[in-house]
Amino acid sequence: MIQMVLLWIERLALAVIVGGGVVMAAGVRPLFAPILAERGNAALVSTIENLSISAWNRYNRYAFLSIVLVIIIDVLRIVAELTFSYWHIAMAIAIMIALLGKLVIDRELQNRLREKSIEAVGSTEQNTGHRRVELLTKIILILAIILTVFPIEILPTF
């Protein structure tokens, strides 16, 4: 019974990561991209960039809390001597590290935007930061989908 409850909580936490990531990548980014591409109104472009970064940052914090919950559940499985997998724990830790990286990059993006305002939007440093965040997002989504598709019972157990 406890294994089933832990599995449902884990599934909910992984759904936050996968669902939120898909919504952010498919909904928020394309919505703001056309506005960020035009350079007409500097104040609007800077505000939209800040909104985009803030929205991603909020998602990243919720996703980080969700993956921490998954890791806690894995630790509970080990302590309670329930079925667990080192692969599952390793992938969850990899997601957590990638989310920490995204949070650090988001802070850099926001600081650069705060300091340089419109000059930061579209700059080489800002674009590099966005590309790194996109790469980390893809890695996180792939790992989270693997964890969602292959429940703990399917992975090799110890």
Side-chain angles (χ1 to χ4, degrees), residues 87-131:
W87 290 104
H88 192 273
I89 296 169
M91 281 193 271
I93 290 172
I95 291 172
M96 185 183 72
I97 292 168
L99 281 164
L100 280 173
K102 282 180 69 173
L103 288 169
V104 168
I105 294 168
D106 279 347
R107 181 167 290 142
E108 291 171 3
L109 291 172
Q110 257 182 337
N111 288 341
R112 191 174 303 112
L113 186 63
R114 209 174 298 125
E115 292 169 1
K116 297 181 181 177
S117 188
I118 190 63
E119 294 86 27
V121 179
S123 69
T124 305
E125 298 88 9
Q126 204 78 347
N127 289 338
T128 301
H130 284 300
R131 280 194 300 276

Side-chain angles (χ1 to χ4, degrees), residues 64-85:
F64 182 77
L65 292 174
S66 295
I67 202 63
V68 167
L69 180 62
V70 170
I71 291 171
I72 290 170
I73 289 171
D74 283 338
V75 170
L76 284 173
R77 284 184 178 128
I78 293 170
V79 170
E81 297 180 358
L82 299 171
T83 304
F84 73 95
S85 171

Side-chain angles (χ1 to χ4, degrees), residues 20 26 28 67 149:
V28 173
I67 202 63
V149 172

Side-chain angles (χ1 to χ4, degrees), residues 18-63:
V18 174
V22 169
V23 167
M24 292 298 294
V28 173
R29 186 80 172 142
L31 179 69
F32 290 145
I35 299 169
L36 292 173
E38 65 183 57
R39 296 287 186 183
N41 188 346
L44 177 65
V45 171
S46 181
T47 302
I48 295 297
E49 174 79 0
N50 190 29
L51 282 173
S52 177
I53 293 169
S54 295
W56 272 103
N57 197 7
R58 186 171 294 119
Y59 158 73
N60 291 335
R61 285 191 305 248
Y62 286 128

